[in-house]
Amino acid sequence: MTKILPRKDVVIVGLGWTGSILAHELTDQGLDVVAIERGPWRDTATDFNIGYAQDELRYSIRRDLFLQPAVETMTVRNDPSQKALPMRDFGSFLPGNGVGGAGVHWNGHTWRFWDSDFQIKTNLTKKYGASRIADLQVEDWGVTGAEMEPYYDQFEYLAGISGKAGNIKGQLQEGGNPFEDPRSRDYPNPPMQMTYAPTLFAEVGRSIGLHPFPTPSANMSRAYVNPLGIAMGQCTYCGFCERFGCANYSKSSAQTTVLPVLMKKSNFEVRTDSEVLHVDLAPGGKSARGVTYVDTSGEEYFQPADLVLLCAYGLHNARLMMLSGIGKIYDPGSGEGTVGRNYCYQTNAGVQVFFDDKNFNPFIAAGALGQTIDDYNGDAFDHGALDFVGGAGINCIPTNGRPIGTRPTLPGTPKWGSAWKKATVEGYKSTLGYSSQGSSYATRNNYLDLDPTYKDRFGRPLMRMTFDFPDNDIRMSNYVCDRMEEIAKALGGKQYAVSRRKKGWDSVPYQSTHNTGGAIMGTDPKKSAVNTFLQSWDVPNVFVIGASAFPQNAGKNPTGTVGALAFRAADAIRNQYLRNPGAPLVQA
């Protein structure tokens, strides 16, 4: 028997970055808001305590903060001709679990996408002709870089990002990224103090004509108080960022930037350890009545609400839309349907350079401490004579020197035994690594839908992921690898090794938790699941906020853009939607 609860103005599914931002903004508007979070409550003082937070075995190896496949998994395959099989363990990507979501365990790289990323189809067609992208399914976002700028600025100041602007109001700034779009002001905090590896990488990059700059970082370069009055501490370079919560209040997350204020509000409530099963639609399916969820006791509840915000991890947003009958599920055969369309990822590769005469002290580190080269990213270079579109940032960001996971060895080293032990001792301090983070462009046969065979513990179909790296993206990555090899030669080590991206995406080894698409934004309801304010075309009192909205992924981490889109959606709800609740903000 489902228990019916008192009505709320707003129900939010998931309390990570986007859920926290939307909850804060809408409670400030005076709305009564409840967030329903599948995972547990997580707080810095009690869950990331300095006495045990830096436990590599517990958090990095055993993945204590992550979603477990027994709770939710998905089936995967490389193309539609294959039978998809369940992921028995998350490997290629690691969704978060609990309050704060994946924003708890991220490294902190905080990028702005460029105007050429937002208007990619128009830009590439104008420059190279429609035939150049005929094998891709890229789409414009329906917004411009200039329209997104104030929301990027809002997120960066909330999160206290450390960095150096490259372009302020059209004026290039020495030491910043010369390829970025104009911004209204500099970052709220200066860049982090560089360690030896990124310093050497930048020096060598400049010597061969490239343009390195400090990676924008959500690790605090100094003590900071954000616009909500929440204080954060200076990063101590402990090297425990990715896969860990920050015990020092030095890494931006919902816990360190929003929740201390949000949780004190009388018109906000969070219910943890409660999983939303589906969004309940009114007869006719044109409006949402609320959500049905179940708690750990197995009791089922219906939470009525006037406005439903899906703020879960992007993949889970798309699945919840499918399970709820919001929009039509994408069919790659006909090209019809929008939910599940344009699933994209990240196209990464890496280089290690081995030295005899250098000590990089890799344990002095932070998640986003480093230098980036954007000369081969996105639209920063001419693709006219090349056989691909897109690009990648080249990042020297030594995130950690943790003893279990950090074991760089020369190619040809045995995998175990005394020779391996000797090689790890020799390589630990004297190896410099850097990587390319490449764009991932949509194709017709990379998509999400519901699996016809496998179900979860509630009897709901699992999500089915069909994905492989497009040929275009492999060619792009190889080109950037060639450029990284030029840097390796200039660095002058005794030997280097290049790990290139290959066809045949493998779900087992970790690659990136940058899953995008599936509920993409746009101006055409035949090609997008949500409009440019992230409002469902089909059910106007449902908004879907997250990386699920990306029509494709750029060669940058998605979190900065996710945060900016959250602020933009909140602005639209506060200043447009609430004037005429239930009405579409954009006419189809």
Side-chain angles (χ1 to χ4, degrees):
M1 184 78 174
T2 302
K3 183 177 181 179
I4 300 175
L5 301 171
R7 175 175 293 275
K8 295 283 188 177
D9 294 325
V10 183
V11 60
I12 296 177
V13 181
L15 192 62
W17 267 124
T18 61
S20 298
I21 289 170
L22 267 295
H24 173 70
E25 292 291 312
L26 297 184
T27 49
D28 266 7
Q29 191 69 21
L31 299 181
D32 194 8
V33 178
V34 60
I36 301 175
E37 166 59 49
R38 174 168 57 189
W41 172 255
R42 296 195 192 279
D43 179 74
T44 300
T46 54
D47 292 277
F48 317 133
N49 188 278
I50 192 66
Y52 53 78
Q54 296 163 336
D55 185 335
E56 184 181 7
L57 182 62
R58 176 179 176 182
Y59 293 107
S60 182
I61 307 303
R62 294 177 175 165
R63 304 174 187 170
D64 191 74
L65 295 177
F66 300 113
L67 178 66
Q68 300 302 312
V71 175
E72 179 174 353
T73 188
M74 60 201 68
T75 64
V76 295
R77 60 184 181 176
N78 291 133
D79 66 69
S81 69
Q82 298 173 337
K83 178 179 174 58
L85 296 174
M87 293 180 74
R88 303 294 183 181
D89 190 19
F90 285 110
S92 178
F93 48 88
L94 300 172
N97 183 52
V99 170
V104 167
H105 64 75
W106 70 316
N107 268 322
H109 310 179
T110 311
W111 296 101
R112 296 184 177 198
F113 287 11
W114 299 338
D115 184 69
S116 54
D117 296 316
F118 292 120
Q119 303 190 77
I120 187 169
K121 185 174 183 179
T122 297
N123 181 58
L124 293 178
T125 302
K126 182 179 179 180
K127 279 191 168 185
Y128 308 117
S131 61
R132 187 66 175 274
I133 55 174
D135 293 335
L136 302 174
Q137 195 164 266
V138 295
E139 301 290 349
D140 292 346
W141 296 53
V143 295
T144 65
E147 290 170 333
M148 289 295 296
E149 198 282 332
Y151 304 108
Y152 276 122
D153 181 83
Q154 196 172 1
F155 181 71
E156 288 167 356
Y157 273 75
L158 175 81
I161 303 305
S162 306
K164 178 70 180 75
N167 185 331
I168 298 178
K169 299 179 180 179
Q171 298 296 313
L172 294 183
Q173 307 293 308
E174 185 176 356
N177 183 1
F179 304 105
E180 72 173 7
D181 287 349
R183 58 173 67 234
S184 57
R185 54 180 174 169
D186 210 333
Y187 290 97
N189 286 314
M192 301 187 77
Q193 184 177 347
M194 293 296 135
T195 51
Y196 182 31
T199 299
L200 178 62
F201 173 83
E203 290 172 353
V204 169
R206 279 189 289 269
S207 75
I208 58 175
L210 302 175
H211 302 85
F213 59 93
T215 306
S217 168
N219 318 132
M220 298 302 102
S221 62
R222 63 183 179 186
Y224 178 69
V225 178
N226 78 1
L228 302 189
I230 301 172
M232 301 177 68
Q234 183 177 9
C235 178
T236 58
Y237 292 58
C238 72
F240 287 80
C241 288
E242 185 181 23
R243 306 192 181 201
F244 300 83
C246 180
N248 201 51
Y249 298 83
S250 300
K251 182 175 72 172
S252 305
S253 65
Q255 279 83 352
T256 57
T257 63
V258 184
L259 290 176
V261 168
L262 178 62
M263 293 303 298
K264 295 178 181 178
K265 295 182 177 181
S266 60
N267 56 338
F268 176 73
E269 176 189 358
V270 58
R271 299 179 196 144
T272 57
D273 296 306
S274 299
E275 178 160 0
V276 172
L277 300 178
H278 54 80
V279 178
D280 293 77
L281 303 182
K286 297 300 182 183
S287 66
R289 299 169 49 239
V291 302
T292 295
Y293 71 92
V294 62
D295 65 13
T296 52
S297 72
E299 186 162 1
E300 192 171 284
Y301 300 86
F302 171 59
Q303 176 60 66
D306 297 324
L307 181 60
V308 177
L309 307 180
L310 303 187
C311 294
Y313 189 67
L315 295 174
H316 305 147
N317 280 345
R319 182 183 181 225
L320 199 53
M321 291 182 75
M322 297 178 194
L323 294 173
S324 305
I326 300 173
K328 183 179 180 180
I329 297 176
Y330 172 71
D331 176 7
S334 65
E336 296 179 353
T338 58
V339 183
R341 191 176 192 265
N342 281 36
Y343 171 70
C344 293
Y345 194 36
Q346 204 88 69
T347 314
N348 298 341
V351 174
Q352 287 183 314
V353 184
F354 302 90
F355 295 87
D356 282 328
D357 58 347
K358 300 189 186 302
N359 178 3
F360 295 109
N361 284 330
F363 52 88
I364 306 172
L369 164 67
Q371 293 273 331
T372 294
I373 291 170
D374 260 355
D375 295 60
Y376 307 111
N377 207 345
D379 200 40
F381 62 111
D382 181 37
H383 295 70
L386 304 173
D387 60 353
F388 64 87
V389 291
I394 302 175
N395 305 290
C396 181
I397 305 173
T399 63
N400 74 91
R402 298 189 292 267
I404 299 175
T406 307
R407 299 283 176 165
T409 57
L410 287 166
T413 300
K415 300 297 183 183
W416 63 282
S418 58
W420 173 80
K421 292 179 181 179
K422 181 176 183 293
T424 63
V425 171
E426 293 173 348
Y428 179 78
K429 290 184 177 181
S430 59
T431 303
L432 185 153
Y434 54 96
S435 62
S436 62
Q437 179 162 254
S439 52
S440 178
Y441 287 168
T443 64
R444 189 182 186 104
N445 285 327
N446 283 342
Y447 65 100
L448 309 170
D449 65 354
L450 294 178
D451 193 275
T453 304
Y454 295 96
K455 301 184 185 301
D456 68 8
R457 67 195 194 283
F458 299 112
R460 303 175 300 172
L462 296 184
M463 173 175 282
R464 179 171 62 180
M465 175 185 289
T466 304
F467 178 77
D468 200 359
F469 297 105
D471 292 338
N472 172 84
D473 295 359
I474 294 295
R475 292 192 294 267
M476 174 277 297
S477 187
N478 277 323
Y479 174 85
V480 177
C481 279
D482 290 344
R483 308 289 79 74
M484 290 200 293
E485 194 165 358
E486 293 168 356
I487 298 171
K489 292 175 180 177
L491 280 163
K494 65 178 179 181
Q495 191 173 342
Y496 66 84
V498 182
S499 299
R500 294 177 180 263
R501 179 58 57 210
K502 299 178 181 178
K503 289 283 285 186
W505 170 68
D506 184 349
S507 67
V508 176
Y510 184 76
Q511 293 153 68
S512 172
T513 309
H514 299 167
N515 312 89
T516 68
I520 70 171
M521 62 189 286
T523 58
D524 184 353
K526 293 182 179 179
K527 294 182 178 180
S528 56
V530 297
N531 64 28
T532 55
F533 299 106
L534 310 190
Q535 179 187 36
S536 167
W537 289 109
D538 300 279
V539 185
N541 67 331
V542 172
F543 286 72
V544 186
I545 298 104
S548 50
F550 292 19
Q552 52 276 320
N553 201 12
K556 304 176 180 71
N557 301 60
T559 306
T561 301
V562 169
L565 288 173
F567 274 115
R568 188 170 187 271
D571 183 27
I573 293 169
R574 295 182 69 170
N575 296 303
Q576 298 181 56
Y577 178 84
L578 293 177
R579 297 174 184 171
N580 188 13
L585 297 177
V586 178
Q587 295 300 319

